[in-house]
Amino acid sequence: MTTPTDQDQPGQGRLVHAPADHPPVARAKVGVVLANLGTPDATDYWSMRRYLNEFLSDKRVVDYAAWKWQPLLQLVILTKRPFASGQAYRSIWNTERNESPLLTITRAQTQKMAETLHRQYGDNVVVDFCMRYGNPSTESVLKRLQAQGCEKILFFPLYPQYGSPTTATANDEAFRTLMKLKWQPAIRTVPAYFAHPRYIEALANSVEEGYEQAAGRPDILVASYHGVPERYLLEGDPYHCHCQKTTRLLKERLGMSDDEIVTAFQSQFGPEKWVGPATVDHVAELARQGKKHIAVISPAFSADCVETLEEIQQEIRDSFLAAGGETFTYIPCLNDRDDHIDALAAVAGNELGGWV
């Protein structure tokens, strides 16, 4: 088969040895896809229900048997939860662009990443982003990149710590798309980067800046990660261990003592025992112990979203203040900070070896 590298001009062009009626083929490029969790298209009941149904029907997220889980999900959870989730999203919604902050931030990250990689590799690399749930879908973005000539694609889940309900399901969706293609691009997936020096440095920089801007130095820094059932840890998922190591490396970089930083886990639901301590309960306990000023950072989230802007800054903050805490400082996610983009570009550069 004649390949796009045989064409006689850049962009969409004629292949040198192809017949005159051969369809145009794009010049061969390498694609980089930043993959994040997802977002509803709107905050109304049906938009939220579609999004939650896709999310909570994923066997990587809830791995109960379908005969047991789906009746509960469809008849009970999806009857009530879209109202509460819609209210949470409305409290943080980007009304100017009519989209969730996660979508706004991921787009900004992609634009900066494209600029950074263009400076390094020129027009040979194309950067785009997708969502595991909602839009833009993984399938639509991978097909779009292939149409642009991307014969090789680096798929980059934006989760520093590997987790089967996050990294693995993002990769699963990319692989499912490949199963539908007649001509599959070569694909690589980016491994967890929870200990990458530039990622730790960016986290540390954000903490130092947050402490400088705070009204007095916080008594303790709470590193709040998204939780997972304890069963996942026992079954071999390394997420909990990755989180603990990120906190340790951050502590060492900041020169903090053991009593100046703690790891906790948020967003627990369901009857199972989850890894802990639970952030919402632990911040209240810290207040009862006399910690009047705490700071909270979310190292597992690459972009601020409903779990940080609503859960941490509202629910978890209220829990701390109700228990006697006085000052609550939230340190934003790394979002599109330049040092974060540099870290992501360094991680991507390691995986692009031999391709560019």
Side-chain angles (χ1 to χ4, degrees):
M1 177 181 291
T2 305
T3 68
T5 55
D6 294 323
Q7 69 182 60
D8 62 351
Q9 63 184 46
Q12 293 285 344
R14 181 179 61 80
L15 300 176
V16 174
H17 302 293
D21 60 350
H22 194 288
V25 177
R27 177 171 59 87
K29 305 181 188 70
V30 174
V32 176
V33 181
L34 304 182
N36 217 323
L37 181 73
T39 172
D41 294 324
T43 61
D44 62 277
Y45 175 84
W46 289 108
S47 295
M48 292 304 310
R49 182 174 178 122
R50 283 193 300 273
Y51 172 73
L52 291 171
N53 183 49
E54 184 179 10
F55 174 51
L56 295 175
S57 293
D58 185 350
K59 293 286 285 185
R60 290 282 195 181
V61 175
V62 181
D63 60 358
Y64 301 146
W67 66 266
K68 180 188 300 184
W69 173 243
Q70 281 297 322
L72 176 62
L73 175 64
Q74 300 298 329
L75 300 177
V76 179
I77 296 174
L78 291 181
T79 300
K80 300 177 180 179
R81 187 160 177 174
F83 291 110
S85 295
Q87 183 177 2
Y89 270 96
R90 281 190 292 275
S91 71
I92 65 164
W93 201 250
N94 182 345
T95 54
E96 182 179 346
R97 302 194 67 156
N98 191 28
E99 62 187 25
S100 75
L102 178 67
L103 180 55
T104 304
I105 295 167
T106 306
R107 185 186 298 109
Q109 291 172 327
T110 303
Q111 291 171 347
K112 284 193 172 183
M113 187 75 158
E115 293 167 1
T116 299
L117 295 185
H118 183 269
R119 288 194 295 269
Q120 297 178 15
Y121 308 116
D123 295 331
N124 293 323
V125 174
V126 181
V127 183
D128 210 333
F129 74 95
C130 70
M131 298 294 178
R132 170 61 183 88
Y133 315 104
N135 296 302
S137 69
T138 302
E139 180 174 347
S140 68
V141 171
L142 291 181
K143 288 182 176 179
R144 180 164 66 229
L145 286 176
Q146 187 178 48
Q148 295 177 57
C150 293
E151 296 181 351
K152 301 171 182 176
I153 294 177
L154 179 67
F155 192 75
F156 195 154
L158 291 175
Y159 308 110
Q161 300 80 18
Y162 176 95
S164 57
T166 52
T167 311
T169 190
N171 291 338
D172 288 347
E173 192 67 8
F175 300 147
R176 275 190 285 267
T177 297
L178 295 187
M179 292 172 65
K180 302 176 184 179
L181 300 178
K182 294 293 185 184
W183 185 1
Q184 294 179 334
I187 193 164
R188 293 175 178 172
T189 60
V190 173
Y193 54 99
F194 62 97
H196 195 284
R198 292 200 183 182
Y199 162 68
I200 298 298
E201 184 67 20
L203 282 178
N205 290 342
S206 72
V207 172
E208 290 172 341
E209 293 171 14
Y211 272 42
E212 288 175 0
Q213 297 167 7
R217 183 177 176 84
D219 299 318
I220 192 168
L221 175 65
V222 179
S224 181
Y225 300 83
H226 198 291
V228 292
E230 188 177 86
R231 172 171 54 87
Y232 285 32
L233 169 63
L234 301 178
E235 292 174 350
D237 190 313
Y239 176 74
H240 180 265
C241 300
H242 286 184
C243 294
Q244 296 288 353
K245 186 167 183 179
T246 294
T247 300
R248 177 175 63 80
L249 293 174
L250 178 60
K251 179 192 70 174
E252 293 172 356
R253 162 59 181 79
L254 291 170
M256 288 183 167
S257 61
D258 290 342
D259 59 0
E260 289 181 294
I261 186 170
V262 65
T263 297
F265 297 88
Q266 63 184 85
S267 309
Q268 301 182 17
F269 69 92
E272 282 194 79
K273 181 181 180 181
W274 284 47
V275 295
T279 306
V280 67
D281 298 326
H282 195 63
V283 296
E285 180 59 28
L286 290 174
R288 288 190 287 268
Q289 292 173 3
K291 307 295 186 184
K292 298 301 182 183
H293 183 183
I294 67 170
V296 178
I297 189 173
S298 303
F301 297 95
S302 62
D304 275 305
C305 53
V306 69
E307 285 88 356
T308 63
L309 299 176
E310 193 275 336
E311 185 178 0
I312 289 181
Q313 295 202 67
Q314 296 180 41
E315 179 186 351
I316 291 172
R317 176 182 180 274
D318 290 347
S319 176
F320 175 69
L321 297 179
E326 296 177 358
T327 306
F328 184 94
T329 296
Y330 174 65
I331 298 171
C333 292
L334 296 178
N335 296 327
D336 64 340
R337 291 172 54 106
D338 289 343
D339 52 5
H340 186 212
I341 302 303
D342 288 343
L344 297 179
V347 173
N350 290 339
E351 306 310 317
L352 288 169
W355 278 6
V356 292

